[in-house]
């Protein structure tokens, strides 16, 4: 499984979405991506990609696309 597929799977599993619903998805745009859902997602992103995301980046992880940008910052190719 590629990193992009892993990333998509995290969103689809945590937020009960299909792949076509991911582009343009923003924090709090759906009920499951609330503050608790966000922290669960961050934990799973860290575990999946074996990284530790700094607090400012956790806070700025505000959309599906922004998350990819942040992961690249940590050396994860998406």
């Amino acid at each position: 499984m590629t990193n992009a597929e892993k990333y998509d799977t995290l969103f689809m599993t945590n937020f009960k979405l299909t792949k076509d619903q991911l582009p343009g998805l923003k924090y709090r745009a759906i009920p499951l991506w609330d503050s608790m859902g966000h922290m669960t997602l961050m934990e799973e992103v860290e575990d999946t990609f074996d990284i530790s995301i700094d607090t400012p980046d956790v806070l700025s992880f505000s959309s599906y696309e922004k998350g990819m940008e942040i992961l690249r910052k940590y050396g994860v190719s998406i």
Side-chain angles (χ1 to χ4, degrees), residues 12-58:
M12 292 185 294
T13 302
N14 280 292
F15 302 137
K16 313 268 189 279
L17 300 170
T18 60
K19 187 175 175 70
D20 63 309
Q21 293 173 299
L22 301 179
L25 181 66
K26 296 188 183 323
Y27 175 60
R28 294 194 182 263
I30 58 170
L32 288 175
W33 197 359
D34 59 6
S35 59
M36 289 300 294
H38 187 70
M39 293 314 295
T40 300
L41 178 65
M42 294 300 96
E43 181 181 333
E44 292 188 13
V45 166
E46 289 181 329
D47 289 346
T48 299
F49 297 108
D50 195 29
I51 58 174
S52 181
I53 302 174
D54 296 331
T55 301
D57 289 327
V58 169

Side-chain angles (χ1 to χ4, degrees), residues 59-72:
L59 297 173
S60 67
F61 198 116
S62 58
S63 71
Y64 171 77
E65 287 80 10
K66 182 69 175 178
M68 289 188 277
E69 180 183 316
I70 290 170
L71 285 179
R72 284 188 209 97

